[in-house]
Amino acid sequence: MNITLHVWRQKSAREPGKLVTYKRGDVSPDMSFLEMIDVLNEELAAKGEEPIAFAHDCREGICGSCSMMIDGMPHGPQDLTTTCQLHMRTFKDGAEITVEPWRAAAFPVVKDLIVDREAFDRIIQQGGFVSVNTGNAQDANAIPISKEAADKAFEAAACIGCGACVAACPNASAMLFVSAKVAQMAELPQGQPERYRRAKKMVDQHDAEGFGACRNHYECEAACPKGISVRYIAQLNRDYLKASVAVAEHAGRSSGPG
Amino acid sequence: MASTVANDANLAKVAKQNHAMGWVRGFVTSSIGAKYVMAASGLALVGFVLVHMVGNLQVFLGWEKLNAYAAFLKSTGSLLWVARIGLLVAVLAHIVSGLRLAYLNKQARPVRYRKQTSMHTNVFARTMAVSGLIVVAFIVYHLLHFTLGVTNPADYALEDPLGRHDVYSMVVRGFQQPLVSASYIVAMALVGMHLSHGATSMFQSLGLNHPKYNSLFSKVGPAIGVLVFLGNISMPVAVLLGFIQPR
Ligand code: HEM
Ligand code: FES
């Protein structure tokens, strides 16, 4: 098949970028989108041009590296699919495809299609874990957990931190990401002791990173390759409210009067 | 227990956060707290808009009813002022918080996409700040028109046979001018658009999202939007078509 690509090229964070057009003939419909760019990159390298920089790792839809905005949609037009799992047969012969990096103040462009998503790591560092003292591993079923709770936690835990929610959001908000990372533990007994502190600290870090505020457009849910539901955002809203108005301690230790 | 420097710093931070003004300010300026402010003030405004509409629809029952209702509201005295101040606080919180969020959200994406495709959101949701601002401009005009009588002093001064403020005649004479009616109709279209997203969005902001009720919540906004639009424009339309006659 024939396609025309308009790809965002930008040497570094400091230099301005622009869309560059590449005409492609002889594209196999069975190629993944990344493979199609691999072939283009080989040709560019052979001509002595700079290949298109893009992030990728697992190429099986679980690492969340392959961020790119394809035709105005994170990871392209197919539902529940990362770029590495998107095949060229999704597009029509002769299609013109625009490819851009994620756009958010909190995700600065490093080069071409690669953005810096460390802001997500800093949010996780604020509470995306359960603090435990080390020791022997517990018996597998020592803590009873209902099937419903396990399923809900697992649904939230499917988040691969790819940033598609931020990319799609008209306000560049990362609430879907934060809500999933809070919910995967809020649903389980192990997550309860730090539940409200975690919600408070992770949301505050989210805001400090310069992500926007969620206004319930639900573009994130539509874009999420793992189908994470916005109901986790509603749950986060409740937990954050409780953490702010009813819980008297956030920094990891409670202080008694006097 | 030995306390480290980091721990002391943390405790100082906690003490500051637990100080009332500290946490209230922190909450209302956080992205989620601001959502609660929008939703709670929005809910108060929706409540007002609905009650206001039902009260005004008495114009269809004739001048005695409408003028008696107006006189009754005036007679509540200080209670009326409590309601007015409550409304003012809700409107100010809604505007300040809404505009602040609109500004911060612009900052959150300084470089825009060359191409972006909407997958779920709609035009009403995307134009909340614009529809809201036009509605504020209308509210200012509306207050100058019917509440303060600045734009129409002669009609405002009218009295009915019982010596009461003749709201009925003021409204009818106002709506007999096609341009005045048109401005009310356009403003109500914008209120309808704003509410058709806002009155649904409100539930999610308040943390209400449940598979059993989501389809209901999703209908509340459009239903209130259409209701407020049709209910309110019925008055200028009825005057223009002659269904409501001058006293
Ligand atoms: C005074 C000018 C107004 C401005 C600038 C304004 C602006 C906004 C904005 C920016 C939002 C956020 C929308 C979102 O979350 O996506 C909003 C939400 C809302 N507005 Fe307004 N608005 C105004 C007037 C009104 C009025 C008069 C009403 C009631 C009749 C109203 C009811 C609501 C409701 C119910 C929401 C939903 C809150 C939520 O999403 O949780 N607004 N408004
Ligand atoms: S490369 Fe790992 S998800 Fe696409």
Side-chain angles (χ1 to χ4, degrees):
Chain A
M1 52 195 287
N2 293 307
I3 55 163
T4 305
L5 290 173
H6 305 288
V7 183
W8 186 260
R9 302 301 310 264
Q10 182 173 350
K11 279 214 175 70
S12 73
R14 276 179 300 281
E15 279 156 275
K18 62 174 195 296
L19 286 175
V20 176
T21 301
Y22 301 96
K23 288 217 184 294
R24 310 294 301 149
D26 215 16
V27 172
S28 159
D30 297 328
M31 279 178 171
S32 78
F33 201 83
L34 298 188
E35 285 163 346
M36 182 272 297
I37 300 182
D38 288 337
V39 174
L40 168 58
N41 275 347
E42 276 177 21
E43 290 178 22
L44 290 177
K47 283 194 284 185
E49 286 178 39
E50 184 78 11
I52 299 165
F54 64 95
H56 62 108
D57 187 13
C58 69
R59 298 217 178 191
E60 55 185 18
I62 56 171
C63 75
S65 310
C66 49
S67 33
M68 47 184 92
M69 199 76 170
I70 301 170
D71 266 350
M73 288 167 277
H75 302 294
Q78 190 167 315
D79 265 5
L80 304 174
T81 307
T82 52
T83 308
C84 57
Q85 298 286 295
L86 179 72
H87 289 87
M88 294 314 294
R89 55 179 167 269
T90 318
F91 300 92
K92 285 204 192 79
D93 190 25
E96 288 207 26
I97 308 171
T98 304
V99 189
E100 294 176 81
W102 289 172
R103 295 290 189 200
F107 284 167
V109 172
V110 176
K111 184 176 182 179
D112 295 341
L113 302 174
I114 301 180
V115 298
D116 177 353
R117 287 181 294 129
E118 277 180 26
F120 271 12
D121 300 338
R122 290 188 291 269
I123 292 174
I124 295 295
Q125 281 161 12
Q126 289 298 315
F129 46 80
V130 169
S131 310
V132 285
N133 297 321
T134 51
N136 281 346
Q138 288 220 33
D139 242 23
N141 288 321
I143 305 173
I145 298 172
S146 72
K147 172 87 167 80
E148 287 84 14
D151 283 352
K152 270 173 128 181
F154 196 77
E155 252 177 66
C159 170
I160 54 177
C162 64
C165 46
V166 177
C169 176
N171 305 313
S173 173
M175 266 310 141
L176 192 64
F177 167 77
V178 177
S179 72
K181 295 303 177 192
V182 168
Q184 65 183 4
M185 278 164 304
E187 298 291 353
L188 298 176
Q190 291 92 330
Q192 297 313 309
E194 296 165 291
R195 177 170 182 170
Y196 297 103
R197 183 191 310 160
R198 173 183 301 118
K200 175 87 169 70
K201 290 176 74 176
M202 289 176 75
V203 169
D204 289 349
Q205 187 65 33
H206 165 278
D207 293 358
E209 294 290 349
F211 291 107
C214 168
R215 314 302 295 276
N216 309 335
H217 290 281
Y218 301 169
E219 289 290 295
C220 52
E221 185 182 273
C224 178
K226 299 296 156 181
I228 309 257
S229 162
V230 294
R231 74 162 188 274
Y232 293 117
I233 299 182
Q235 176 171 335
L236 178 63
N237 292 349
R238 298 196 298 274
D239 281 8
Y240 187 81
L241 176 69
K242 188 159 178 198
S244 299
V245 308
V247 178
E249 170 265 326
H250 301 298
R253 214 175 97 179
S254 57
S255 49
Chain B
M1 239 191 272
S3 98
T4 63
V5 174
N7 244 336
D8 287 346
N10 268 346
L11 288 178
K13 215 169 100 195
V14 172
K16 207 166 135 198
Q17 279 172 351
N18 287 341
H19 185 269
M21 280 337 281
W23 76 255
V24 171
R25 174 185 293 223
F27 179 66
V28 300
T29 55
S30 70
S31 59
I32 292 182
K35 233 168 145 166
Y36 277 97
V37 171
M38 292 309 287
S41 57
L43 183 62
L45 295 176
V46 172
F48 167 76
V49 165
L50 290 175
V51 172
H52 186 65
M53 180 177 82
V54 171
N56 291 345
L57 283 172
Q58 296 179 66
V59 71
F60 284 103
L61 303 178
W63 66 268
E64 292 97 337
K65 280 270 190 285
L66 187 69
N67 289 355
Y69 170 65
F72 160 74
L73 286 183
K74 278 261 159 65
S75 73
T76 56
S78 53
L79 221 56
L80 183 62
W81 276 104
V82 172
R84 281 176 170 167
I85 290 168
L87 262 179
L88 189 66
V89 170
V91 167
L92 287 180
H94 198 79
I95 298 177
V96 170
S97 192
L99 293 182
R100 178 178 160 272
L101 285 178
Y103 171 77
L104 290 176
N105 284 343
K106 272 242 147 54
Q107 307 287 102
R109 175 162 296 136
V111 182
R112 306 185 56 161
Y113 292 106
R114 296 299 173 86
K115 182 164 185 189
Q116 188 169 18
T117 311
S118 281
M119 292 166 284
H120 186 282
T121 187
N122 60 42
V123 60
F124 297 164
R126 286 174 166 279
T127 51
M128 288 302 275
V130 175
S131 59
L133 278 177
I134 299 175
V135 171
V136 180
F138 164 76
I139 292 173
V140 171
Y141 165 66
H142 177 57
L143 290 177
L144 292 175
H145 186 203
F146 285 153
T147 307
L148 300 170
V150 174
T151 58
N152 51 334
D155 294 348
Y156 189 76
L158 293 173
E159 286 193 353
D160 70 7
L162 299 176
R164 297 176 303 205
H165 179 32
D166 192 358
V167 174
Y168 182 88
S169 299
M170 173 178 76
V171 169
V172 173
R173 288 183 189 202
F175 287 160
Q176 278 173 337
Q177 301 155 259
L179 271 181
V180 171
S181 274
S183 74
Y184 275 81
I185 291 169
V186 169
M188 286 311 118
L190 286 156
V191 171
M193 286 166 54
H194 195 84
L195 291 184
S196 95
H197 173 71
T200 284
S201 173
M202 209 162 68
F203 292 99
Q204 169 82 357
S205 297
L206 296 173
L208 301 173
N209 179 318
H210 190 286
K212 269 192 183 164
Y213 302 102
N214 283 348
S215 78
L216 173 67
F217 293 160
S218 71
K219 291 180 192 101
V220 168
I224 292 188
V226 169
L227 182 73
V228 167
F229 173 66
L230 292 181
N232 279 324
I233 70 162
S234 71
M235 293 173 266
V237 169
V239 171
L240 287 179
L241 295 181
F243 289 124
I244 295 178
Q245 292 285 344
R247 177 169 58 78

